[in-house]
Amino acid sequence: KKLKKVRLSSKQINNQMINMHLDPVFTKDEYVSAFYFFKKGKYVKSAKLFKNLLRLNPPHSLVDNILFGLSMSYYKVKQYSKAIEPLSRIMKEYPNSDKSYMSHVMLALVHEIKGDKSRAIYVLEHGLKNDPPYFIRSVINNLINQVQD
């Protein structure tokens, strides 16, 4: 009798399997789709996909790209406040990433658009301290001059 109570019927096993919570898994297809919708100008859709990708335990080497895509999607639909967090996260968690330099530029643009010129200049000057490549350095210097005018 005790053994019968321990054994589960196949129906009970199937029900338990259906009710199991399986962690979502990152897929290359979803990653590609997020960029596809961005390139097609479907920024709200791409933002949703990028945001979802972050929940899917993406490879560490892609997280900065996903965050940058998310922030650019928000920027394109003028949700500037939402663009701040992913850009700041790239700068903090991925300071050696190629996206880090452009994150400084884009975050400064967001602050400038929101009317916070001093914060924009601070972000740009911080970006110069990271010794960016020449072309990024010139973009940052030009942007500093524009914000100060």
Side-chain angles (χ1 to χ4, degrees):
K1 285 184 175 184
K2 288 183 181 181
L3 191 54
K4 282 185 178 183
K5 288 181 182 179
V6 172
R7 290 186 184 147
L8 297 174
S9 71
S10 63
K11 185 177 180 180
Q12 289 172 312
I13 291 173
N14 286 340
N15 286 340
Q16 286 186 355
M17 292 294 286
I18 289 170
N19 293 328
M20 283 180 60
H21 172 71
L22 300 176
D23 288 333
V25 177
F26 174 86
T27 66
K28 180 182 172 187
D29 290 341
E30 290 180 69
Y31 181 73
V32 170
S33 290
F35 283 102
Y36 170 81
F37 284 106
F38 183 86
K39 286 180 182 180
K40 290 291 187 184
K42 307 289 185 189
Y43 304 118
V44 172
K45 175 76 171 171
S46 67
K48 287 179 184 177
L49 291 170
F50 283 124
K51 191 171 183 178
N52 187 55
L53 284 168
L54 293 172
R55 294 183 329 98
L56 302 179
N57 194 25
H60 182 74
S61 61
L62 298 179
V63 174
D64 60 335
N65 289 333
I66 294 168
L67 288 167
F68 196 77
L70 177 61
S71 65
M72 292 301 87
S73 296
Y74 287 142
Y75 183 87
K76 289 288 197 175
V77 294
K78 300 180 180 185
Q79 292 183 354
Y80 303 118
S81 294
K82 286 186 175 183
I84 292 172
E85 191 274 329
L87 291 168
S88 299
R89 187 170 161 196
I90 292 168
M91 292 164 42
K92 181 179 179 184
E93 296 176 23
Y94 302 91
N96 298 321
S97 161
D98 61 330
K99 298 294 182 277
S100 180
Y101 301 122
M102 284 309 295
S103 293
H104 283 84
V105 170
M106 294 308 302
L107 184 58
L109 284 173
V110 166
H111 288 308
E112 201 272 333
I113 288 168
K114 293 181 72 164
D116 193 346
K117 292 183 180 218
S118 64
R119 187 173 294 269
I121 291 171
Y122 172 82
V123 169
L124 291 167
E125 288 174 346
H126 183 266
L128 287 174
K129 291 178 185 175
N130 293 341
D131 194 30
Y134 174 78
F135 69 97
I136 297 290
R137 179 176 292 280
S138 64
V139 168
I140 290 174
N141 283 322
N142 287 337
L143 195 51
I144 287 173
N145 290 333
Q146 285 181 343
V147 171
Q148 287 177 335
D149 289 341

